[in-house]
Amino acid sequence: MDSEFPNKALTTTRFSDLKPPLSDPVLQALTHSGFDFCTPVQAATIPLLCSFKDVAVDAATGSGKTLAFVIPLVEILRRNSSNPKPHQVLGIIISPTRELASQIYHVAQPFISSLTNVTSMLLVGGVEVKTDMKKIEEEGANILIATPGRLHDIMNRMDVMDFKSFEILILDEADRLLDMGFQKQINAIITQLPKLRRTGLFSATQTQAVEELAKAGLRNPVRVEVRAETKRLNDSAASKQLESSKIPSGLHIEYMECEADKKPSQLVDFLVKNRSKKIIIYYMTCACVDYWGVVLPRLSVLKGFSLIPLHGKMKQSVREKALTSFTSLSNGILLCTDVAARGLDIPGVDCIVQYDPPQDPNVFVHRSGRTARLGKQGHAVVFLLPKEESYVEFLRIRGVPLQERMCSDNAPDVVPEIRSAATKDRDVMEKGVRAFVSYIRAYKEHHCSYIFRWKELEIGKLATGHGLLQLPLVPEVKRHTLSTEGFEPVKDINFEDIKFRGSCTREVISHCCQFASGGADPRGDCPVRSSENKDFIPVGMEAKIPPVGTLGWGLGTKHPSPRIPRIRP
């Protein structure tokens, strides 16, 4: 049996053994995709949904939830619907992010294609809503795989869609749907659907809001709770805590405690030592991804590395291209925010680096879960500042054990090279300031504020770790006494002489002027600006770095300190 069944993340139950039995076309699609045995969540959930029961599923990340609802959806439609009309909507799958919805759509296609005269459509933001509406109007769609905002918008705008024969609703990553503020849209969508339907609610984290959604949207649901197999520990108390852990047994998680000014050097050292690996690095803000996505490729020790940035403020086409490029790599590095923390199944990811701990501690597990999927081995490491060390005990209590990883003694000091890049390219300099300020604002919004105490941030070391040439004056610095120790401003440099390299200057200035006049920020990485639009300082035009040895950012004293908008990953 061991040779036939080596993957401990799978059960001994074959898809062909499930009751009620799956149809031949679905079994053929499974075999063609290389799936013979069920994961625990699939073995438990598929028979229930196929028996027309509502389910509320609580399962570990990377446990195979997608097939657990795609297969029943296809089987229910095969049995209950024959030759549906083009605008008859029979099934809906709702997912929190564009990337996850797109992934589900592509996973589902081999199974949906086995249905006769049934069409599916992906509805996500990033494309014109009128384009989606026109396609629905002309071609119809029987299965909708969508993000809640776009689906709600289209359902409100169009009356051509017929829900009278609706069969099944799936809410994937339900906790994340609610965390992102979609409860109102989801409730509105549910009210437009027939009550006599099947509903599946899938989540890796159970919260009170998820419980309330289950009560409102499900009828007498069967609760399915699947925990990952966990490692055996000598400590019986620790073992007892891990009985309910959602950390896969193949995942090894470490923490590295180091000062903020040493973080980039330790990161680079880690990347160099794992250059043959496929790695995801998580940052707290879009501005941080933008900055490190520009800086890291310029470091001499990282020449030849494939570094791909991804965050939620990028255009949809850019996000899709980035995700596709990283997925196709055998080794490379994805720099991203939490837009890639949930549900995405990127094959072959070896390591997860949480350069910044997430604002929401629940996301920690989801980030780490991008590796060690379906019984495979994986490695994750989180960087912590010395004053954040109690986060380790906090996670242990929540059933997430971490082991200490010592800082490397021979890590190359990359800060001088980062600063050198900033003195040669204004884009690097500006992005560094934006990243620094966005980090401070995001840090203030940590859910565990008793662990991540922003008033104890050592911004001098933080600024050094960002390779800044000067300390920007931000409200968090001006109104509170934060330590600037450890920062030495660059001397004997005229900041006005630092120009944009390449041909982007005209585009940047145009972008800034458009934003200053009240227009939307098309690039999503708004420049440093004052608290009022009228005091906006266009990057690359009048903005000046203050004199050496002072804290400031702007045009003298008549411009207030820059206001940093709420940071959203």
Side-chain angles (χ1 to χ4, degrees):
M1 172 61 77
D2 288 343
S3 60
E4 181 187 6
F5 187 66
N7 194 330
K8 294 182 179 180
L10 302 178
T11 66
T12 56
T13 303
R14 295 179 181 271
F15 284 102
S16 56
D17 296 334
L18 294 177
K19 303 296 181 184
L22 302 181
S23 62
D24 288 339
V26 165
L27 289 175
Q28 290 171 10
L30 285 166
T31 301
H32 185 266
S33 300
F35 298 114
D36 293 319
F37 293 94
C38 302
T39 66
V41 68
Q42 293 162 358
T45 305
I46 292 174
L48 291 172
L49 276 173
C50 287
S51 300
F52 304 103
K53 297 183 183 297
D54 286 6
V55 297
V57 181
D58 179 14
T61 184
S63 59
K65 293 193 294 290
T66 302
L67 284 184
F69 58 73
V70 166
I71 291 174
L73 180 145
V74 171
E75 291 291 7
I76 289 173
L77 299 192
R78 186 187 306 283
R79 296 168 187 172
N80 290 15
S81 304
S82 58
N83 296 322
K85 296 178 181 179
H87 295 102
Q88 279 186 316
V89 180
L90 308 175
I92 291 176
I93 300 174
I94 300 178
S95 175
T97 67
R98 303 172 189 176
E99 287 75 18
L100 184 51
S102 178
Q103 176 180 287
I104 294 170
Y105 178 82
H106 289 101
V107 169
Q109 288 315 296
F111 303 94
I112 294 175
S113 63
S114 69
L115 297 172
T116 304
N117 296 326
V118 173
T119 60
S120 61
M121 187 170 176
L122 178 65
L123 299 176
V124 297
V127 296
E128 285 287 338
V129 65
K130 292 182 179 178
T131 302
D132 288 338
M133 293 172 62
K134 182 179 180 182
K135 186 174 181 180
I136 293 175
E137 186 78 37
E138 296 176 351
E139 303 176 16
N142 308 118
I143 300 173
L144 304 177
I145 300 174
T147 49
R150 176 53 58 93
L151 178 61
H152 178 250
D153 190 11
I154 286 180
M155 289 176 69
N156 282 343
R157 294 190 186 206
M158 301 186 72
D159 55 10
V160 68
M161 292 186 293
D162 178 9
F163 296 99
K164 294 179 181 178
S165 301
F166 188 82
E167 294 283 355
I168 181 169
L169 169 67
I170 300 295
L171 300 172
D172 188 29
E173 300 285 356
D175 52 333
R176 183 65 171 156
L177 285 168
L178 300 178
D179 288 345
M180 293 175 67
F182 288 124
Q183 185 162 5
K184 183 177 180 181
Q185 290 93 327
I186 291 171
N187 289 338
I189 291 168
I190 289 176
T191 58
Q192 297 187 52
L193 303 178
K195 293 183 178 180
L196 293 177
R197 64 173 190 271
R198 293 285 66 79
T199 304
L201 185 151
F202 291 76
S203 177
T205 307
Q206 286 296 319
T207 64
Q208 184 61 37
V210 173
E211 289 291 328
E212 293 175 1
L213 179 60
K215 291 178 182 178
L218 281 66
R219 301 192 320 157
N220 300 319
V222 178
R223 298 194 174 273
V224 177
E225 186 170 347
V226 179
R227 300 296 184 184
E229 179 187 351
T230 55
K231 299 175 181 178
R232 299 292 182 186
L233 299 182
N234 294 329
D235 183 358
S236 59
S239 297
K240 186 175 181 180
Q241 288 176 341
L242 282 177
E243 287 176 1
S244 61
S245 174
K246 295 181 183 178
I247 299 298
S249 59
L251 178 58
H252 177 65
I253 307 181
E254 297 178 314
Y255 72 95
M256 181 188 295
E257 186 180 308
C258 67
E259 298 285 359
D261 56 342
K262 305 299 182 184
K263 281 177 66 175
S265 297
Q266 292 295 326
L267 173 65
V268 170
D269 181 75
F270 180 88
L271 297 180
V272 170
K273 291 177 179 177
N274 293 275
R275 65 179 307 139
S276 62
K277 303 289 183 64
K278 195 168 185 176
I279 301 171
I280 299 179
I281 306 175
Y282 285 100
Y283 296 91
M284 255 200 305
T285 73
C286 300
C288 288
V289 171
D290 281 336
Y291 176 56
W292 294 107
V294 168
V295 167
L296 291 180
R298 298 181 185 227
L299 301 180
S300 57
V301 294
L302 296 182
K303 293 296 183 184
F305 281 65
S306 297
L307 296 122
I308 301 172
L310 172 68
H311 61 70
K313 291 183 179 179
M314 291 177 169
K315 291 182 179 179
Q316 179 63 16
S317 59
V318 177
R319 289 165 65 172
E320 291 176 355
K321 184 178 180 180
L323 199 55
T324 300
S325 297
F326 182 68
T327 300
S328 65
L329 293 175
S330 58
N331 59 76
I333 302 165
L334 181 71
L335 293 76
C336 61
T337 59
D338 288 336
V339 73
R342 299 289 291 260
L344 289 181
D345 187 12
I346 302 172
V349 175
D350 301 297
C351 302
I352 301 297
V353 177
Q354 303 198 41
Y355 192 76
D356 304 324
Q359 291 170 310
D360 181 354
N362 291 323
V363 177
F364 184 93
V365 173
H366 296 292
R367 285 178 169 187
S368 302
R370 296 315 97 206
T371 186
R373 297 179 71 81
L374 292 176
K376 297 180 180 179
Q377 298 294 309
H379 176 214
V381 59
V382 57
F383 285 60
L384 296 176
L385 302 178
K387 293 183 180 181
E388 299 168 351
E389 60 181 352
S390 55
Y391 193 56
V392 177
E393 176 64 13
F394 170 80
L395 290 174
R396 187 190 67 80
I397 293 173
R398 293 167 66 98
V400 184
L402 278 67
Q403 295 183 2
E404 185 173 9
R405 179 189 182 95
M406 302 305 296
C407 290
S408 173
D409 293 330
N410 57 356
D413 184 6
V414 298
V415 170
E417 195 171 355
I418 295 174
R419 281 185 147 185
S420 175
T423 62
K424 298 173 183 176
D425 189 347
R426 195 174 190 87
D427 186 49
V428 174
M429 182 179 71
E430 300 285 5
K431 279 185 166 67
V433 173
R434 282 196 290 269
F436 171 81
V437 177
S438 74
Y439 178 89
I440 295 176
R441 177 53 59 89
Y443 202 92
K444 292 175 66 176
E445 298 178 3
H446 262 291
H447 293 196
C448 301
S449 56
Y450 56 93
I451 295 175
F452 299 94
R453 300 180 293 272
W454 75 270
K455 291 184 179 180
E456 295 183 12
L457 270 178
E458 298 181 86
I459 64 160
K461 294 178 180 178
L462 181 67
T464 299
H466 278 74
L468 300 192
L469 308 180
Q470 288 281 292
L471 272 175
L473 177 60
V474 293
E476 289 78 9
V477 176
K478 186 177 180 180
R479 300 169 189 168
H480 301 276
T481 306
L482 299 183
S483 171
T484 60
E485 183 180 347
F487 184 81
E488 287 293 333
V490 175
K491 300 179 180 180
D492 301 325
I493 185 171
N494 186 345
F495 293 98
E496 292 183 351
D497 291 340
I498 302 175
K499 308 297 182 183
F500 288 97
R501 294 180 61 183
S503 58
C504 67
T505 307
R506 187 179 302 276
E507 178 219 341
V508 171
I509 293 175
S510 174
H511 151 71
C512 293
C513 290
Q514 177 186 351
F515 189 78
S517 63
D521 181 7
R523 299 190 313 173
D525 54 351
C526 62
V528 176
R529 54 195 167 128
S530 67
S531 59
E532 308 258 338
N533 270 347
K534 60 185 177 60
D535 292 322
F536 174 79
I537 307 168
V539 177
M541 296 177 71
E542 296 92 342
K544 297 181 180 179
I545 303 283
V548 172
T550 65
L551 294 178
W553 183 266
L555 295 176
T557 57
K558 70 175 183 177
H559 286 274
S561 302
R563 178 179 65 85
I564 313 304
R566 181 181 176 87
I567 303 302
R568 295 181 297 175

